[in-house]
Amino acid sequence: MDKQFIQNIREDFPILSEKVYNKELVYFDNAATTQKPKCVVEKIEQGYYRYNANIHRGVHYLSQKATEEHEAARTTVAQFLNAEKREEIIFTRGTTEAINLVAFSFGEAFCHEGDEVIISVMEHHSNIVPWQMLCERKGMTLKVIPMNERGELEIEAFKALLTEKTKIVSIAHVSNVLGTVNPVKEVIRLAHEKNIPVLVDGAQAVPHIPVNVQELDADFYVFSGHKIYGPTGIGVLYGKENWLNAIPPYQGGGEMIQTVRFEKTTYNVLPFKFEAGTPDYIGSTALAEALRYVQNIGLEKIAAYEHELLEYGTKLLNEIDGMRIIGTAKEKSSVISFLVGNIHPYDIGMLLDKLGIAVRTGHHCAQPLIDSLEIPGTVRASFAFYNTKEEIDQFVAALKRVVIMLS
Ligand code: PLP
């Protein structure tokens, strides 16, 4: 992507021209949440100003228009992930709720005492705790795939963990701390050899690489709208139709029912069975707008440009004395976690902030990973397609100043 193209893109994101502490903002906290282009915010405004009405239930114009928009958004998401059927797309509040849904409903249908769930050492808390809760509820065991020193999964160890007791595997497509792009297709193939389904946590993947759920053969694939330039409070669970039909509803309420009698309730068909209550139909349509925005640029193009940023940033950071980059996998997305000497990551983050640079510090909701590395946390810079090499220069220059101050 050439400079002018990036400059044009940046103009779609008004927040990028904000000043913080009277300094130009450098926003490198994209793995936590991304900024929103004007078209997404305008879509939200349009939703509330032009066709806001509760969906699915109304005979009147506005309700039908809002319903059409929400259901069209479902089709957009299905196409984005290349799902076979639009009914396989369930709107949730985000990745976390989607994983909780599967951990609960799949657990109710298929899990028993003595069974096992496999996750990996580099999971976000959202892909650990729901499975731990299931294990506690059912008397099951959580098994963890280890990684090597570069932050790549140990596939041989994974194979050894797969047994007749394994009920499901749940794994991140891309690590939010290490940036590792996991070989999820291979993980799925190996699990499927033993008829074990796989959930892929795609929170950090969908904004950066093209995802095709049919090609991956994922049984469940989840992501959050806010990490892909969409609004907060909306996310997606993709599930193969046969799995979604085989597991019970997660929550009860309106919309997920066919008939309600005090004696017995029957449940609605997919996808409504999993969408109890008034859904976030404004959020879903704005998410669809964000996906169109990303698709218009092109995910292949985004991946290539962000890779350039990753390589550029990694090279410059490695020139700093005492630099230790955490996560050096061959396949990496645009996340750089690091430590410098013995300086606490929090101190670096605090001082960078004062220079206008937004990075994240701490355990990044992956405490078991950070503990396994025996480090206090990391500083994490994560790039999006609206970031530039000039911003990386600014960041590295600021970091050098900060390191001198703290050494
Ligand atoms: N999984 C991964 C890999 C993440 O990076 C995150 C957020 O940082 C989540 C899950 C949780 O996403 P959310 O808080 O949007 O539900």
Side-chain angles (χ1 to χ4, degrees):
M1 294 204 260
D2 66 36
K3 272 193 175 170
Q4 190 53 51
F5 187 75
I6 307 289
Q7 211 41 53
N8 293 347
I9 283 177
R10 287 178 70 83
E11 281 168 23
D12 291 338
F13 294 82
I15 204 168
L16 298 178
S17 341
E18 282 292 303
K19 292 229 154 74
V20 295
Y21 313 113
N22 225 13
K23 307 238 162 25
E24 275 176 33
L25 168 69
V26 173
Y27 186 76
F28 283 171
D29 196 17
N30 294 288
T33 200
T34 51
Q35 301 304 344
K36 317 305 168 196
K38 284 180 201 158
C39 62
V40 167
V41 178
E42 283 162 10
K43 189 76 186 169
I44 294 170
E45 187 183 87
Q46 197 184 55
Y48 281 122
Y49 285 169
R50 307 229 349 247
Y51 46 80
N52 177 49
N54 206 333
I55 60 169
H56 291 140
R57 277 162 275 214
V59 291
H60 61 82
Y61 174 85
L62 285 187
S63 174
Q64 285 177 13
K65 171 81 176 142
T67 306
E68 269 168 31
E69 288 275 340
H70 180 66
E71 291 307 325
R74 197 186 307 279
T75 305
T76 302
V77 175
Q79 286 164 352
F80 182 79
L81 292 177
N82 195 34
E84 192 185 344
K85 297 179 178 168
R86 58 186 301 289
E87 292 77 14
E88 295 175 320
I89 301 301
I90 312 294
F91 286 115
T92 65
R93 283 196 300 123
T95 303
T96 303
E97 189 177 59
I99 297 173
N100 274 276
L101 188 163
V102 177
F104 176 82
S105 295
F106 182 89
E108 284 304 289
F110 293 107
C111 296
H112 303 97
E113 194 173 341
D115 289 342
E116 295 174 357
V117 178
I118 298 179
I119 60 170
S120 88
V121 66
M122 64 178 82
E123 299 310 316
H124 187 281
H125 296 162
S126 294
N127 198 26
I128 301 174
V129 184
W131 303 111
Q132 278 179 327
M133 289 163 75
L134 168 64
C135 287
E136 273 171 28
R137 214 165 55 240
K138 297 274 180 174
M140 296 164 60
T141 308
L142 192 66
K143 294 279 168 109
V144 181
I145 314 168
M147 64 182 198
N148 64 22
E149 71 289 349
R150 291 188 300 276
E152 297 163 326
L153 289 183
E154 302 267 19
I155 292 296
E156 289 306 312
F158 170 57
K159 285 186 197 164
L161 289 178
L162 284 169
T163 70
E164 66 286 352
K165 290 184 184 164
T166 313
K167 279 292 140 83
I168 189 164
V169 176
S170 190
I171 188 167
H173 197 163
V174 173
S175 158
N176 65 314
V177 181
L178 309 167
T180 310
V181 181
N182 285 318
V184 286
K185 193 169 174 184
E186 174 70 353
V187 166
I188 291 168
R189 192 185 64 74
L190 291 167
H192 283 182
E193 276 178 4
K194 303 208 159 157
N195 294 321
I196 300 161
V198 179
L199 181 150
V200 180
D201 171 355
Q204 297 293 342
V206 289
H208 305 291
I209 49 181
V211 170
N212 180 333
V213 289
Q214 288 191 76
E215 199 203 313
L216 290 176
D217 203 17
D219 300 282
F220 301 100
Y221 196 99
V222 301
F223 72 91
S224 297
H226 70 98
K227 293 197 196 277
I228 184 162
Y229 314 99
T232 51
I234 187 86
V236 169
L237 161 64
Y238 157 82
K240 281 185 185 164
E241 187 182 30
N242 59 341
W243 282 120
L244 292 177
N245 275 328
I247 64 179
Y250 174 49
Q251 293 181 328
E255 205 55 53
M256 51 74 73
I257 55 90
Q258 214 148 38
T259 58
V260 178
R261 301 285 177 273
F262 285 122
E263 299 72 34
K264 181 161 177 64
T265 289
T266 57
Y267 303 129
N268 208 339
V269 293
L270 294 177
F272 311 112
K273 170 179 154 187
F274 292 105
E275 291 183 1
T278 301
D280 184 0
Y281 52 88
I282 302 286
S284 63
T285 54
L287 169 60
E289 191 65 31
L291 299 184
R292 279 190 288 275
Y293 182 86
V294 165
Q295 278 173 317
N296 277 340
I297 301 174
L299 268 159
E300 306 276 357
K301 223 164 144 184
I302 289 173
Y305 176 66
E306 289 178 348
H307 191 72
E308 258 180 60
L309 294 180
L310 172 72
E311 295 215 313
Y312 186 73
T314 305
K315 181 174 166 294
L316 290 193
L317 287 177
N318 270 329
E319 287 167 7
I320 295 177
D321 266 355
M323 174 59 56
R324 179 176 165 204
I325 291 183
I326 311 291
T328 52
K330 268 201 211 91
E331 297 293 325
K332 236 188 117 168
S333 103
S334 54
V335 169
I336 310 180
S337 270
F338 63 90
L339 291 165
V340 189
N342 291 326
I343 307 172
H344 198 279
Y346 183 75
D347 296 334
I348 294 180
M350 286 275 287
L351 290 184
L352 283 176
D353 171 56
K354 297 290 177 286
L355 298 170
I357 292 157
V359 291
R360 188 143 293 239
T361 62
H363 56 59
H364 316 295
C365 293
Q367 272 182 16
L369 170 63
I370 296 296
D371 288 350
S372 78
L373 293 166
E374 298 178 358
I375 53 178
T378 73
V379 183
R380 182 185 70 186
S382 50
F383 312 129
F385 56 73
Y386 44 58
N387 291 128
T388 64
K389 289 186 182 165
E390 289 71 27
E391 286 182 309
I392 294 178
D393 292 339
Q394 252 173 284
F395 157 63
V396 172
L399 180 61
K400 284 180 178 164
R401 277 177 66 191
V402 165
V403 168
I404 290 169
M405 283 163 77
L406 293 170
S407 291

